[in-house]
Every structure is written in structure tokens, then in C-alpha cells.
Amino acid sequence: MEIKRPSDSITTMTNLVMPNDANIVGNLFGGKLMEWMDICGALSAARHSKNVCVTASVNNISFAKPIHLGETVTLVARVVRAFNTSMEVYIEVYAENIKKGTKRKCNDAYFTYVAVDENYQTVKVPAIQPLSEEEQELFELSLLRRQLKLLMAEKITLKDAPELRAQMVEWMETSKG
Ligand SMILES: CC(C)(COP(=O)(O)OP(=O)(O)OC[C@H]1O[C@@H](n2cnc3c(N)ncnc32)[C@H](O)[C@@H]1OP(=O)(O)O)[C@@H](O)C(=O)NCCC(=O)NCCS
């Protein structure tokens, strides 16, 4: 089976926040941003798997910093880990005010996609080989996020998630001081 790097799947997308994308105080709608993230993430997963990819789940997304009407929004997506037929894609969102020359990171999220063929059958995807320290860290934590997502979707039980269980024990021990 082919092995790929996260950088092979990097996909970027830039949009301008138009009046139709914003609420009455001139901030980009959260739903519109999620739509753009989903498209960018799906393209990254498709680039990795060379197949159509459907969204299986999304982790927590918060909107801490508003993005304003007239700003540009750049999304950067890459596959951080591939499992059997599913892939986790990390998506970062940057807003830029071109006139002022300012740029800031606004959001990030982890989306899970599943590769499917023309008959909507799930397809095995190439593995990911992390190389840099950052890629390695995202890769390792991806397993915990996968177990948490599958647990919340009631697809597995805690006994099928030994790494997540061990991490939870560690967090509890740490919080005791
Ligand atoms: C995603 C989908 C193809 C998975 O189908 P399924 O019958 O659950 O298939 P499986 O149980 O064989 O799972 C397939 C893969 O999806 C993963 N998966 C399923 N549900 C998941 C979830 N909630 N979170 C993360 N991964 C999930 C499984 O772990 C498996 O990955 P693996 O092969 O790498 O181990 C199916 O649920 C689907 O078609 N959903 C709708 C997709 C869609 O329309 N998305 C747009 C939202 S409107």
C-alpha cells in the first residue's frame, strides 16, 4: 500500500467575505465558514485518496474571533492521518484585511472523511507517514480524536479505545495534582 506525507495533500482555498456571507453586524456566518472548511477538507482528502470523499464527522469548532465583511478568508487543509477507509484532515482558517495588511488565524478543526467509489462503497486509502515533529504530534493525537468521535457516535465502546482510556486516566491523575 502506498504511503504519503501530509504535505502531499495540502489544499488551500481563498474566499472574499461578501454581503451575502455576513450577518447584520457584518461578521461572516459560522455556517458559511463551516461550508468552506468542509469543501477545502474534502478536496484535501480527495487529493490524498484519489477518490470522492464524504464527511463522516467534525470535531468541536469555536468562533472566538469574528471575520469581517470585505476580509479574505484562506483555508489550509491537510490529511494528518489515514486509517482504513477514513482520513482525518486538519483545517486552519486565516482572515486577512488586505487594505490594512493584517492577517490572523481565526479557527481550526479536524474533519473526518471517508473515501467512496462510484458505487458508494468505502475504499481503502493510502497511509500517512509523518516526518516533522509537528506532523508526528498531530498523527499521534489523531488516534485519540478518532476513538472519541467513534465513541460519541456509539460505533465503539471504551473497551475498544485503550489509548483514549489511558489518556483519560493520565488527565485525571494530573488534575488531582
Ligand atoms: C461516512 C459513511 C460512509 C460511513 O459509513 P458506515 O456504514 O458507518 O461505514 P463503516 O462503519 O464501514 O465506517 C467506514 C469508516 O468511517 C469511519 N466512521 C464512521 N463514522 C464515523 C464517525 N462518526 N467519526 C469518525 N469516523 C467515522 C469508520 O471508523 C470507518 O473508518 P475506517 O475504515 O478508517 O476504520 C456513512 O455514514 C455515510 O454515508 N454518511 C453520510 C456522509 C455524508 O453525506 N456526509 C455529508 C453530511 S450531510
Side-chain angles (χ1 to χ4, degrees):
M1 175 53 87
E2 194 185 355
I3 296 178
K4 291 183 170 180
R5 294 272 320 269
S7 54
D8 297 330
S9 62
I10 288 183
T11 301
T12 59
M13 214 170 90
T14 299
N15 289 300
L16 174 65
V17 182
M18 300 289 277
N20 237 8
D21 304 321
N23 61 21
I24 54 170
V25 293
N27 292 345
L28 173 65
F29 284 123
K32 179 53 80 173
L33 180 59
M34 287 193 278
E35 178 190 330
W36 291 343
M37 291 171 91
D38 193 21
I39 295 170
C40 189
L43 291 175
S44 174
R47 185 162 277 152
H48 176 79
S49 66
K50 294 195 165 62
N51 267 298
V52 170
C53 294
V54 296
T55 318
S57 64
V58 182
N59 81 330
N60 159 62
I61 306 181
S62 48
F63 302 98
K65 295 177 189 157
I67 300 174
H68 307 290
L69 180 63
E71 292 189 314
T72 62
V73 178
T74 298
L75 303 106
V76 185
R78 65 194 141 133
V79 176
V80 293
R81 187 157 180 167
F83 296 93
N84 184 32
T85 65
S86 67
M87 295 145 278
E88 187 182 58
V89 178
Y90 179 48
I91 305 166
E92 296 170 280
V93 178
Y94 300 89
E96 184 178 3
N97 184 317
I98 291 177
K99 221 168 150 186
K100 290 184 184 160
T102 55
K103 194 173 177 182
R104 61 196 186 281
K105 184 171 177 179
C106 292
N107 297 79
D108 55 16
Y110 297 90
F111 282 56
T112 299
Y113 297 90
V114 176
V116 293
D117 65 15
E118 55 282 2
N119 300 313
Y120 209 87
Q121 297 300 305
T122 56
V123 183
K124 199 163 169 46
V125 298
I128 282 282
Q129 173 66 61
L131 287 186
S132 70
E133 215 173 288
E134 189 216 5
E135 287 174 2
Q136 185 65 40
E137 193 180 329
L138 287 170
F139 181 89
E140 279 165 21
L141 292 174
S142 182
L143 180 63
L144 302 183
R145 285 187 295 268
R146 168 184 162 91
Q147 292 177 345
L148 190 59
K149 282 176 182 174
L150 293 176
L151 198 65
M152 290 174 76
E154 298 181 342
K155 298 226 161 199
I156 60 168
T157 63
L158 255 186
K159 77 170 167 37
D160 307 311
E163 293 83 3
L164 181 63
R165 246 182 19 229
Q167 184 63 61
M168 286 162 97
V169 169
E170 198 182 313
W171 283 329
M172 284 189 293
E173 292 299 324
T174 314
S175 72
K176 279 185 203 158

